Amino acid sequence: MKAEIVAVGTELLMGETADTNSGWLASRFPQVGLELQYVTVVGDNLAQLTEVLGRAFQRSDFTFTCGGLGPTEDDLTRDAVAKVLGEEITTAPELLRWLEGVFRERRMEMPAANIKQAGIIPSATSLPNPMGTAPAWWVERGGHVIVTMPGPPRELQFMWEHQVEPRIRERVRGNIVLTRTFKTIGLSEAAVDEMVHHLYGSNSNPYLGIYAKPDGIYLRAIARAQGQRQAQEMLHPLEEGIQGALGRYIWGVDEDRPEEMVGRLLTERGLTLATIESCTGGLLAGTITDVPGSSRYFRGGIIAYSNDIKVAAGVDPTVIEKHGAVSQECAAAMAQAVCRHLGADCGLSVTGVAGPDSLEGVAPGNVFIGVAHPGGVEVLHQRYPPRRPLVKARAATMALLELVRVLKAGVGQK
Amino acid sequence: MKAEIVAVGTELLMGETADTNSGWLASRFPQVGLELQYVTVVGDNLAQLTEVLGRAFQRSDFTFTCGGLGPTEDDLTRDAVAKVLGEEITTAPELLRWLEGVFRERRMEMPAANIKQAGIIPSATSLPNPMGTAPAWWVERGGHVIVTMPGPPRELQFMWEHQVEPRIRERVRGNIVLTRTFKTIGLSEAAVDEMVHHLYGSNSNPYLGIYAKPDGIYLRAIARAQGQRQAQEMLHPLEEGIQGALGRYIWGVDEDRPEEMVGRLLTERGLTLATIESCTGGLLAGTITDVPGSSRYFRGGIIAYSNDIKVAAGVDPTVIEKHGAVSQECAAAMAQAVCRHLGADCGLSVTGVAGPDSLEGVAPGNVFIGVAHPGGVEVLHQRYPPRRPLVKARAATMALLELVRVLKAGVGQK
């Protein structure tokens, strides 16, 4: 089924607000059989909006509008839809009662302007929006559908998941695209390719793609079928094959993030963690603590931007003198020192040069990652393109993945 | 002048890549007199792309395409432009020589597919792209312009700044919009409004808007005029008035970020900084170290996710016992302790509850920020909506701004 998105708002055209809704919706369409053909961003201009919407309604099976459902004069999506269908907007008493109730709950008087949010046209069904004051419309005529979605991302996402997606699943048959992404670490792209090649050969459905990403090599399995069930059945043997071939190199699937995997593995093994970082400057610890509940396994960390702080944390000063602060030896000493210093089972260290300048004769982009664990200490040397934000991001991600690798290899057992 | 953006790429419609280029360009258009009317995202489909581009070329003075200039079969932007203009693409010998040179420098053989990047049509002038292998086209006919921009954001931004924007400034007269944003901290929205109200009254040009943002209250001055010079002259008295009225409450302008202001003020005053943070979990230090050269004033930091780490850093355990770890007293003690512990002139502390759970009976969203400086110590109490990512981000930003405020007030003098 052909789909189209119309994002409404002059603030999007002025570059003041980024349109994140279109991308979010776009990534959800394939799994319900919608094929996105166009995204159009248009301002709060009734003539332009009506023209864009009219073209979309004609050429696409499903048109999704984002935004323009507010109570102000600039909110024109309802008016444009009514014009495209040649229908009149009237106030729906049940919507008005609901809206008055929302304001009563907020202990506010309802401004007169909000009445327009209770408007509806004959071809529209109202979809309740418990997150805001703008109900969505599901408009259907001649086999074409327009769905008006609220602009605030939290409302739009809630409406998609609870109101819109289930209705689309009922109506759309066929062209279902299911994907499953496996995230690996510790192998090169070529090695991954060799190890799974027998699984896909020249198949285009299900299809297996291999991609190099900042957090390792991804395998993406894609199945296209007439129904969910059928697509799942096509994916299943491929998934089993990938698990069999790559087993312990897989650190996560789909939306898994390295910091969540670290949390899961530490919790499973009953281990605590401390960090000591120089070039990542707090980003490593900041990422670890993005996970709710991380205080249960994360003891704390040290940002050792100067050498005397490394020494104060327990790094032997002769290690720094002899090998330099950016060295394999220093990374190992830092990881071990922070375990003792902060009383943790595992220590994760990062020492490197984020740039733009060299440090102690070491060029920007060089990073050493140390993992200390009850069974010993391991160090990984990485070289990244010497751009500061990139070095910080890659080094923090790779440090987490190196810890995942060590924990999965089982050497971190107490 | 009416402008339009056409972003090309099936990966954008699949939700795999976010279209950041359109928003970036959109925010640059007003200052050169371009009024953006539409953004359209379309896939790698020659018929659809040609149709979208044909409509854009007709209705807009300037059309900017993003992407589709690569060497593969999916890269169709050049073909679509040629079709819209009914012109033939031929290989330009000087572009081919340049392209061969690029590959020679990279010590690679040029794949035959890349020859198409040396193609051109009679109405197009080639704009050199030193960041990649795709030159842009500046196409002009009948007063309408199409500019083809490369898709990778770094290339697109470079091309805009060095090739495209100067050409537009030559051609576009009038409708120039200049803006200047002043960022304040320490005043409420209402207080700011009262202090600058005499400056703008009911003027709509120049216009003065007041906005509450996560990092304080912004004042945005907007002037519309026929030329750059004239717009500047309209803004000037307004800027002087704002500076006069709000003086020391202004911490930055336009793209200034709190971490850069912190760096500038510490450097000017010859002071060093150390951090100790709990609920921000490393985000505070990570933000400080995003600034190149921050190692000159940032000594390091401690992430004290557990109370014994606070004590090890020098916080008196009786302070924690008596007042709790999330308290004004603990924030003050942490800031002072980290100065001594890491040998810095200033100490910045954050202690709070990021959530989702309460901590020691304190509800999520409560945050205390401590600033220790040579003249004493100050603490700020904040309450944020209890969502973890939001609490972390707001607390880190506000800690930096509180340090800016203290440094600007001059109490941080040695």
Side-chain angles (χ1 to χ4, degrees):
Chain A
M1 289 284 205
K2 292 195 167 108
E4 177 153 0
I5 295 173
V6 178
V8 188
T10 300
E11 73 282 7
L12 303 173
L13 294 177
M14 299 290 286
E16 285 169 7
T17 311
D19 167 32
T20 56
N21 287 330
S22 301
W24 192 90
L25 284 175
S27 68
R28 264 81 188 164
F29 283 179
Q31 41 200 286
V32 291
L34 294 180
E35 202 180 334
L36 183 60
Q37 307 271 305
Y38 305 93
V39 177
T40 311
V41 185
V42 59
D44 302 315
N45 174 311
L46 188 58
Q48 292 180 347
L49 178 53
T50 307
E51 193 215 330
V52 165
L53 210 52
R55 194 179 303 121
F57 184 63
Q58 279 221 312
R59 71 183 169 190
S60 297
D61 302 300
F62 285 84
T63 301
F64 300 85
T65 68
C66 310
L69 299 182
T72 76
E73 283 184 18
D74 284 349
D75 292 300
L76 300 165
T77 301
R78 278 178 294 260
D79 304 274
V81 175
K83 276 200 143 193
V84 166
L85 275 83
E87 298 185 5
E88 195 110 350
I89 301 180
T90 54
T91 302
E94 72 283 6
L95 285 179
L96 189 59
R97 271 195 301 278
W98 167 78
L99 206 54
E100 286 166 346
V102 170
F103 279 92
R104 224 177 3 256
E105 257 178 50
R106 295 184 186 175
R107 291 157 203 277
M108 289 165 64
E109 195 154 342
M110 186 174 95
N114 284 78
I115 293 174
K116 67 188 270 194
Q117 295 188 303
I120 199 142
I121 53 171
S123 296
T125 311
S126 168
L127 308 181
N129 172 5
M131 312 279 282
T133 59
W137 284 358
W138 177 286
V139 182
E140 203 161 348
R141 205 166 74 188
H144 293 255
V145 172
I146 297 179
V147 188
T148 66
M149 313 273 288
R154 282 179 65 215
E155 295 182 30
L156 175 130
Q157 292 171 17
F158 184 92
M159 293 298 282
W160 171 260
E161 278 161 13
H162 293 85
Q163 296 286 352
V164 181
E165 200 210 16
R167 280 179 175 76
I168 289 173
R169 282 198 193 275
E170 275 172 24
R171 274 174 183 73
V172 179
R173 292 279 173 273
N175 198 27
I176 299 293
V177 182
L178 281 192
T179 66
R180 181 88 164 162
T181 302
F182 293 88
K183 304 178 174 183
T184 74
I185 191 71
L187 291 170
S188 70
E189 193 172 350
V192 169
D193 193 14
E194 211 178 294
M195 288 162 81
V196 298
H197 195 80
H198 65 282
L199 293 172
Y200 66 102
S202 56
N203 275 3
S204 69
N205 190 24
Y207 176 80
L208 187 61
I210 300 176
Y211 310 92
K213 294 273 179 176
D215 53 352
I217 307 297
Y218 283 19
L219 286 96
R220 195 160 190 231
I222 306 176
R224 292 164 195 277
Q226 285 310 303
Q228 292 277 334
R229 184 69 160 285
Q230 202 184 336
Q232 271 158 1
E233 279 168 9
M234 286 167 70
L235 271 189
H236 191 67
L238 193 53
E239 288 180 21
E240 296 229 304
I242 293 170
Q243 284 284 6
L246 296 173
R248 68 192 185 87
Y249 295 102
I250 297 169
W251 64 262
V253 293
D254 293 341
E255 313 276 296
D256 281 346
R257 293 181 302 161
E259 60 271 27
E260 289 167 349
M261 276 310 295
V262 161
R264 217 172 301 158
L265 288 166
L266 288 169
T267 305
E268 274 172 28
R269 286 158 176 66
L271 297 167
T272 58
L273 174 68
T275 54
I276 179 163
E277 47 188 315
S278 69
C279 65
T280 43
L283 178 62
L284 174 60
T287 308
I288 291 169
T289 58
D290 280 344
V291 180
S294 45
S295 62
R296 285 195 283 277
Y297 50 81
F298 184 59
R299 301 263 312 146
I302 292 170
I303 297 128
Y305 237 48
S306 42
N307 284 343
D308 49 345
I309 295 181
K310 296 185 183 81
V311 173
V315 174
D316 182 352
T318 61
V319 169
I320 301 178
E321 276 160 36
K322 206 167 149 193
H323 304 283
V326 183
S327 65
Q328 181 166 336
E329 290 78 4
C330 190
M334 285 165 68
Q336 290 178 309
V338 83
C339 281
R340 288 192 303 271
H341 195 67
L342 300 187
D345 302 311
C346 301
L348 191 53
S349 72
V350 180
T351 178
V353 190
D357 302 322
S358 291
L359 187 74
E360 300 178 358
V362 181
N366 275 282
V367 174
F368 292 88
I369 292 165
V371 181
H373 51 82
V377 60
E378 312 193 15
V379 178
L380 180 72
H381 181 195
Q382 299 271 289
R383 277 185 205 86
Y384 303 118
R387 279 181 282 140
R388 189 179 182 89
L390 193 142
V391 172
K392 284 185 73 172
R394 291 272 178 97
T397 302
M398 194 45 75
L400 292 170
L401 288 177
E402 182 61 7
L403 178 58
V404 166
R405 191 191 62 75
V406 168
L407 290 172
K408 287 205 126 191
V411 292
Q413 305 298 353
K414 266 204 231 197
Chain B
M1 291 283 203
K2 293 194 166 110
E4 177 153 359
I5 294 173
V6 179
V8 188
T10 300
E11 73 281 8
L12 304 174
L13 293 178
M14 297 289 287
E16 286 168 6
T17 311
D19 168 31
T20 57
N21 287 328
S22 300
W24 191 90
L25 284 174
S27 68
R28 264 78 189 167
F29 283 179
Q31 43 199 285
V32 293
L34 294 181
E35 203 180 332
L36 183 59
Q37 307 270 306
Y38 305 94
V39 177
T40 311
V41 185
V42 59
D44 303 315
N45 174 312
L46 188 57
Q48 292 180 346
L49 177 54
T50 306
E51 193 214 331
V52 165
L53 209 51
R55 193 180 303 121
F57 183 64
Q58 278 220 313
R59 72 183 168 190
S60 297
D61 302 302
F62 284 85
T63 300
F64 299 85
T65 68
C66 310
L69 299 182
T72 75
E73 282 184 18
D74 284 348
D75 292 300
L76 299 165
T77 301
R78 278 178 294 261
D79 303 275
V81 176
K83 275 200 141 190
V84 166
L85 276 86
E87 298 186 5
E88 194 108 352
I89 302 179
T90 54
T91 303
E94 71 282 7
L95 285 179
L96 189 58
R97 271 195 301 277
W98 167 79
L99 205 55
E100 286 167 346
V102 170
F103 279 92
R104 223 175 6 253
E105 258 177 49
R106 296 184 184 175
R107 290 159 204 277
M108 287 165 64
E109 196 155 339
M110 187 176 96
N114 284 78
I115 293 175
K116 69 189 268 193
Q117 296 188 302
I120 199 141
I121 53 170
S123 296
T125 312
S126 168
L127 307 180
N129 171 5
M131 312 277 284
T133 61
W137 285 358
W138 177 285
V139 181
E140 203 161 348
R141 205 166 76 186
H144 294 256
V145 173
I146 297 178
V147 188
T148 65
M149 312 274 289
R154 282 179 66 215
E155 295 183 28
L156 175 131
Q157 293 172 16
F158 184 93
M159 293 299 282
W160 171 260
E161 278 160 14
H162 294 84
Q163 296 286 352
V164 180
E165 198 209 17
R167 281 178 175 77
I168 290 172
R169 283 200 194 274
E170 275 173 25
R171 274 173 182 74
V172 180
R173 293 275 172 274
N175 197 26
I176 299 293
V177 182
L178 280 191
T179 66
R180 182 89 162 160
T181 302
F182 293 88
K183 303 178 174 183
T184 74
I185 189 72
L187 292 169
S188 70
E189 193 170 351
V192 168
D193 193 14
E194 210 178 294
M195 290 163 80
V196 298
H197 195 80
H198 65 282
L199 293 173
Y200 66 100
S202 56
N203 275 2
S204 69
N205 190 22
Y207 176 80
L208 188 61
I210 300 176
Y211 311 92
K213 294 273 179 176
D215 52 351
I217 307 295
Y218 284 18
L219 287 96
R220 194 160 190 229
I222 305 176
R224 292 164 195 277
Q226 285 309 302
Q228 291 277 333
R229 184 69 157 286
Q230 203 184 334
Q232 269 158 3
E233 279 166 8
M234 287 167 69
L235 272 189
H236 191 67
L238 193 54
E239 288 180 19
E240 294 226 307
I242 293 169
Q243 283 284 4
L246 296 174
R248 66 190 187 89
Y249 295 102
I250 296 170
W251 65 263
V253 294
D254 294 340
E255 312 276 296
D256 281 345
R257 294 181 302 161
E259 60 272 25
E260 289 167 350
M261 278 310 293
V262 161
R264 218 173 299 158
L265 289 165
L266 288 169
T267 305
E268 273 172 31
R269 286 157 174 68
L271 296 168
T272 58
L273 174 67
T275 55
I276 179 163
E277 46 188 315
S278 69
C279 66
T280 43
L283 179 62
L284 174 59
T287 308
I288 291 168
T289 58
D290 279 343
V291 180
S294 45
S295 61
R296 285 194 283 276
Y297 50 81
F298 183 60
R299 301 262 312 146
I302 292 171
I303 297 128
Y305 237 48
S306 42
N307 284 344
D308 49 345
I309 295 181
K310 296 186 183 79
V311 173
V315 174
D316 182 351
T318 61
V319 169
I320 300 178
E321 276 159 38
K322 204 166 151 194
H323 304 283
V326 183
S327 65
Q328 181 164 336
E329 291 78 5
C330 190
M334 284 166 69
Q336 290 178 308
V338 82
C339 282
R340 288 192 304 271
H341 195 67
L342 300 187
D345 302 312
C346 301
L348 191 54
S349 71
V350 180
T351 178
V353 190
D357 302 322
S358 291
L359 187 74
E360 299 177 358
V362 181
N366 275 282
V367 174
F368 292 88
I369 292 164
V371 182
H373 51 82
V377 61
E378 312 191 17
V379 177
L380 180 73
H381 181 194
Q382 299 272 290
R383 276 186 207 83
Y384 303 117
R387 279 181 282 141
R388 189 179 182 87
L390 194 142
V391 172
K392 284 186 73 172
R394 291 272 176 96
T397 303
M398 195 46 75
L400 292 169
L401 288 176
E402 182 62 5
L403 178 59
V404 165
R405 192 191 62 73
V406 167
L407 290 171
K408 287 205 127 193
V411 292
Q413 304 298 353
K414 267 205 231 200

